[in-house]
Amino acid sequence: FFFLCSNCVCIITIFLDARPGVEMGALYDYFGVEDGTQIKWRHAVNDRATLTKVLNDNTTNMIEADVSLSASGVLIMAHPPNRTSDLTLHEFVMSILNGTTGPKRGFKLDFKEMAAVEPTLTWLKTLDTKKMPIMLNADIVSGPGTCIN
């Protein structure tokens, strides 16, 4: 899905499985809830210590982190202006895919720059990610209401 807001273009996609027509109701079914307010989120999970804490917390369903490129071009979990992190995208995703015990989980990747999108999508396509929801959000293109100095 693409939509415009006043300052950006946002891209949001949910991958629950490969079937066409999967919608938000499938997300609610996955977590066994009636609406999205019952899904427990943890945001800005951009370092190893926070990820470890979240994975040991049995109340978190969705884990959100920011995808950026390091100065050397490695996909990392960091919110600009940070260009360093002790957690790569690979480590983040694989820790969730392989380490999930307890509650059902999913994750959201929030892209912070255009250059991080294509390599992430290419890599994600190689994984068996059908066992959990993945949300992608990209606030990376200036929208019609952006002020340019």
Side-chain angles (χ1 to χ4, degrees):
F1 303 99
F2 293 88
F3 65 91
L4 293 175
C5 62
S6 62
N7 296 321
C8 62
V9 175
C10 299
I11 305 166
I12 299 177
T13 307
I14 301 171
F15 297 107
L16 287 173
D17 56 41
R19 295 174 298 159
V22 173
E23 53 191 57
M24 288 303 288
L27 184 66
Y28 304 157
D29 291 344
Y30 177 82
F31 288 117
V33 298
E34 294 180 23
D35 65 62
T37 63
Q38 296 171 306
I39 297 171
K40 304 300 181 207
W41 285 80
R42 183 66 186 265
H43 296 276
V45 182
N46 293 328
D47 60 76
R48 287 181 183 166
T50 305
L51 179 59
T52 298
K53 183 177 178 180
V54 169
L55 291 175
N56 289 320
D57 172 12
N58 287 330
T59 65
T60 301
N61 303 115
M62 290 293 292
I63 304 168
E64 183 270 347
D66 304 298
V67 181
S68 296
L69 287 172
S70 70
S72 63
V74 175
L75 292 164
I76 60 171
M77 311 319 288
H79 191 287
N82 293 332
R83 288 289 188 188
T84 61
S85 176
D86 67 350
L87 185 61
T88 66
L89 172 67
H90 181 269
E91 292 166 333
F92 175 83
V93 171
M94 297 311 291
S95 293
I96 296 169
L97 288 175
N98 296 328
T100 297
T101 58
K104 289 184 176 180
R105 301 205 195 258
F107 60 91
K108 175 184 171 192
L109 300 177
D110 192 0
F111 294 96
K112 297 303 180 184
E113 53 195 304
M114 183 71 87
V117 176
E118 185 176 350
T120 299
L121 295 178
T122 300
W123 178 67
L124 285 175
K125 283 196 261 183
T126 69
L127 303 176
D128 179 16
T129 58
K130 296 176 189 165
K131 67 180 185 177
M132 68 178 51
I134 300 173
M135 300 179 103
L136 305 176
N137 180 63
D139 299 330
I140 53 176
V141 180
S142 295
T146 302
C147 295
I148 299 174
N149 295 331

